[in-house]
Amino acid sequence: MRFFHISDLHIGKQLYYYNLRENQRAVLRQITERVKEYRPDAVLIAGDVFDKSVPSGEAYTLFDEFLNQLAEIQPQTAVLVIAGNHDSAERLNYASSFLEKHQIYVETFPPRTKEERLRKVVLEDSFGRVNFYLLPFTKPGYVRELFPEGASISYDEAVGALIRREEIDVTERNVLLSHQFYVSGSQSPDTCESEQAYISVGGIDSVDVSRVKDFDYVALGHLHGAQWIGAPSIRYCGTPLKYSVSEADQEKSITMVTLEEKGKPVQIEKIPLTAIQDVRRERGTLKEVLERARETRRQEDFISITLTDEKEVFRPREQLQEYYPYILEIRVDNSRTRAKLDEVSKEPVILEPMEAFRAFYQEMQQAPMTLEEERIMLEVIQKAKEVEEG
C-alpha cells in the first residue's frame, strides 16, 4: 500500500501582504502530477486545508480545482481529508456525501457521543486490509459527553479516550490521520513562527505519542516543518509551501509512505516540491546585497533582507526594490541596533500568564503550586485565550 501524506495547505493564505494564489495553484498541480507519476493508492490531507475558517471564494475554487484534478486520474486514487484547527468543520464538510462517491472522504468532527466512533476507511492491497482512521482536530470540549459529568479533560486525555474506544486490531495494518500538537515525553517537535501562535502556553494542548503507538503510521498535520516525533512512523509532513521567513531553510516535499505486509518497517520517501517564488534571506551591507541582486536570476523570490551597514544608508527600500519587487521585510543589524536591544533586555521582564501566577501564588502561599493546581490554572489560561481569540 502506497500513499501520499500532505497537510497544512492553508489555501487562501497571504505571505505578509502578498497573494499566494498562483504559488498554491502551481504546487497543487505538482502534487497532482506526482500522483499520476507514482500512482499511490491514497492521498492523505492531514488538516488545515484552508487558512481561515471562512475561506474566500477564490480559496474554495482553488481547492475544488485540486479535488477535480485528483478525481480525474484513472484508476481513481482515494483522497482522505480531515479538518485542522484553521478549518471550519461545517464548511469543509459541505458536499461530503457527494464527494464520497468519487472516493474523496472528508471528516470534520471527532466522535461527540457515546454511539459515534472514528471514521474508518478501509483499502486493500495484495497483503490485505489497511484501516485508515480519521481524527480531525479535537478540543476537550468537543468530546465532553464521553466523560463523566464535571470531569476535567485535557487534550491528551481527549485524544487518548477516542483512540481507546476503537479497540484497534493490531494484527492488521492501521494508519491514523490526526491534526494535533504531539510530544514524546519531555521532547517537543520543532516549531516555527507560522504555527507558534496556535500552540498553547505550557503545552496544555499537547498529546503524547504513546496515545498512537498501536498504529503502523501516523499522518500528522499542524506543524510546518517536516519531522518525526517519538518514532519515524509518527510524522509531520510539513507544508507544501513556505509560509514564513522562519521556513526559509526548509525543503518542502510530499511524504510518500509504503506499507508492505504487517510487521515490516514502513518505507518513507520525500518527493520535492518547488514553488514559483521561493522565500529567501539576504544579509550584508546595502552594497553587498545590491551586487548579489544584480547577478541573481531569483529576483522574483520573496526576500527578507538584513542590512549590516554601520552608517545610515539613503532610501534602502527604493534601491532594493529596483531588483527585488517582493520584499517581505528590511531589518538592520549593526552595533547601534544591538546596543538598543541590550538596553531593552535590561528592562523588567514581562512574564507569561502562567509564570506570573506561579510567582503570585508562591508569594501569597509561601509554597509552590501542586501539579493539580498547575493543570487547573493552565486550563483557565487556555480558556481565556480562546475567548480572547473569538
Side-chain angles (χ1 to χ4, degrees):
M1 179 74 61
R2 173 184 288 172
F3 55 85
F4 282 3
H5 170 198
I6 61 175
S7 76
D8 295 84
L9 307 182
H10 287 287
I11 298 174
K13 185 175 180 62
Q14 290 190 332
L15 181 57
Y16 288 60
Y17 39 81
Y18 295 113
N19 190 310
L20 293 175
R21 180 186 61 248
E22 294 310 314
N23 283 274
Q24 290 183 326
R25 175 174 280 121
V27 81
L28 293 175
R29 284 177 178 166
Q30 282 182 56
I31 294 170
T32 304
E33 290 303 312
R34 298 294 82 77
V35 171
K36 293 177 182 177
E37 179 180 355
Y38 289 93
R39 298 290 175 173
D41 298 284
V43 174
L44 279 49
I45 307 177
D48 280 357
V49 172
F50 297 109
D51 188 57
K52 299 184 186 304
S53 59
V54 185
S56 66
E58 185 178 87
Y60 272 119
T61 298
L62 198 51
F63 187 51
D64 181 64
E65 286 178 11
F66 180 50
L67 292 182
N68 273 304
Q69 289 166 7
L70 292 175
E72 288 171 0
I73 299 172
Q74 297 297 327
Q76 278 195 323
T77 299
V79 180
L80 283 58
V81 185
I82 61 171
N85 58 299
H86 279 251
D87 297 311
S88 162
E90 292 83 358
R91 288 180 172 85
L92 188 59
N93 196 49
Y94 177 74
S96 59
S97 298
F98 173 78
L99 292 172
E100 192 169 328
K101 296 176 182 178
H102 298 273
Q103 293 194 59
I104 298 171
Y105 305 91
V106 181
E107 191 65 18
T108 58
F109 280 111
R112 290 172 289 176
T113 68
K114 293 180 180 179
E115 293 73 30
E116 294 177 339
R117 289 293 184 270
L118 291 180
R119 176 75 172 277
K120 181 168 75 171
V121 177
V122 180
L123 302 179
E124 294 194 18
D125 64 6
S126 58
F127 297 111
R129 292 159 50 105
V130 178
N131 305 308
F132 292 86
Y133 290 86
L134 278 57
L135 175 56
F137 178 67
T138 299
K139 290 184 178 182
Y142 295 171
V143 298
R144 192 163 298 282
E145 287 190 30
L146 307 182
F147 291 83
E149 186 175 351
S152 179
I153 314 162
S154 68
Y155 280 76
D156 183 68
E157 290 164 339
V159 170
L162 290 173
I163 292 173
R164 276 197 309 275
R165 294 165 77 242
E166 296 303 318
E167 298 180 344
I168 304 296
D169 184 352
V170 295
T171 66
E172 295 188 336
R173 293 171 295 166
N174 300 291
V175 175
L176 176 69
L177 279 74
S178 181
H179 190 98
Q180 305 285 156
F181 181 63
Y182 281 86
V183 299
S184 179
S186 60
Q187 176 196 358
S188 295
D190 295 330
T191 60
C192 56
E193 66 184 37
S194 309
E195 70 264 0
Q196 284 170 356
Y198 302 97
I199 296 172
S200 299
V201 175
I204 193 173
D205 60 352
S206 64
V207 178
D208 195 86
V209 294
S210 60
R211 301 294 190 178
V212 297
K213 60 181 175 57
D214 289 337
F215 292 93
D216 297 274
Y217 184 82
V218 182
L220 298 178
H222 197 35
L223 301 188
H224 290 197
Q227 59 192 293
W228 56 269
I229 180 73
S233 59
I234 305 173
R235 184 172 291 265
Y236 291 100
C237 61
T239 55
L241 282 174
K242 298 176 182 181
Y243 287 128
S244 73
V245 174
S246 62
E247 298 173 49
D249 297 327
Q250 295 179 3
E251 294 181 358
K252 300 302 185 179
S253 61
I254 301 166
T255 298
M256 182 168 70
V257 182
T258 303
L259 293 180
E260 296 185 341
E261 60 186 302
K262 181 73 177 184
K264 282 199 171 183
V266 177
Q267 299 176 28
I268 298 170
E269 302 173 61
K270 289 185 178 181
I271 303 172
L273 293 171
T274 305
I276 297 173
Q277 295 166 279
D278 198 3
V279 176
R280 297 193 293 113
R281 294 187 181 98
E282 283 287 346
R283 180 184 177 88
T285 64
L286 178 61
K287 181 180 178 182
E288 290 168 343
V289 174
L290 288 172
E291 285 176 352
R292 290 197 297 269
R294 294 184 188 102
E295 296 170 1
T296 186
R297 295 181 180 179
R298 300 165 59 191
Q299 294 179 351
E300 298 295 311
D301 287 345
F302 297 111
I303 306 292
S304 168
I305 299 171
T306 300
L307 297 178
T308 59
D309 301 82
E310 286 296 332
K311 294 183 179 180
E312 190 170 344
V313 292
F314 179 72
R315 293 186 176 178
R317 178 173 289 273
E318 286 85 343
Q319 296 186 60
L320 290 163
Q321 280 184 323
E322 290 185 26
Y323 301 95
Y324 291 128
Y326 298 97
I327 295 174
L328 300 176
E329 59 186 1
I330 299 176
R331 300 185 177 189
V332 178
D333 181 17
N334 56 28
S335 58
R336 296 194 310 280
T337 58
R338 287 192 290 272
K340 287 181 180 178
L341 286 174
D342 289 341
E343 289 177 13
V344 171
S345 66
K346 295 174 184 176
E347 295 177 359
V349 176
I350 299 175
L351 298 177
E352 293 288 346
M354 188 63 204
E355 295 173 313
F357 188 82
R358 193 180 286 122
F360 172 76
Y361 186 96
Q362 176 72 35
E363 179 70 21
M364 298 302 294
Q365 301 295 329
Q366 296 300 305
M369 298 172 70
T370 66
L371 290 176
E372 178 64 13
E373 287 169 337
E374 290 218 2
R375 184 183 64 77
I376 292 170
M377 192 59 204
L378 282 169
E379 288 184 358
V380 171
I381 292 170
Q382 176 62 17
K383 287 177 181 177
K385 182 180 177 182
E386 290 175 358
V387 170
E388 183 179 343
E389 292 175 351

